[in-house]
Amino acid sequence: TLANWVVDYAERVILPLWSKSYPDDPRPQNCLNAARDWLSGAIKLPQAKAFILECHAAAREAEANPVAQASARAIGQSASTIHSARHCIGLAL
């Protein structure tokens, strides 16, 4: 439940911050899609992890834009909650 909430929240609230600056870079959206695919059982964790790491790469590349960089990091962390129940509460706090 928490993992679904955090992925939905990241897409609804945080992704628009990224998209405002980088509308043609789909890596954060791909990351969230992969998290959903993992939650539904469509893919395995290593496949989702590759998308999560790509999202973090997008954050590194956006160092000139602190808002976009923070949003990509937050999206990557949100998607990372799928692998550990203890990580899910982070965004809620």
Side-chain angles (χ1 to χ4, degrees), residues 10-57:
E11 184 170 52
R12 186 172 36 86
V13 176
I14 303 170
L15 184 61
L17 298 173
W18 170 263
S19 297
K20 183 177 181 180
S21 297
Y22 297 97
D24 296 327
D25 189 334
R27 291 178 288 182
Q29 179 67 65
N30 292 344
C31 176
L32 294 170
N33 292 342
R36 278 199 187 88
D37 287 346
W38 183 87
L39 287 165
S40 72
I43 64 173
K44 299 290 185 188
L45 185 59
Q47 293 168 294
K49 185 177 178 181
F51 288 100
I52 292 166
L53 292 175
E54 283 296 314
C55 187
H56 285 297

Side-chain angles (χ1 to χ4, degrees), residues 70-85:
S71 65
R73 284 277 180 227
I75 291 166
Q77 289 301 113
S78 294
S80 296
T81 64
I82 64 173
H83 76 84
S84 172

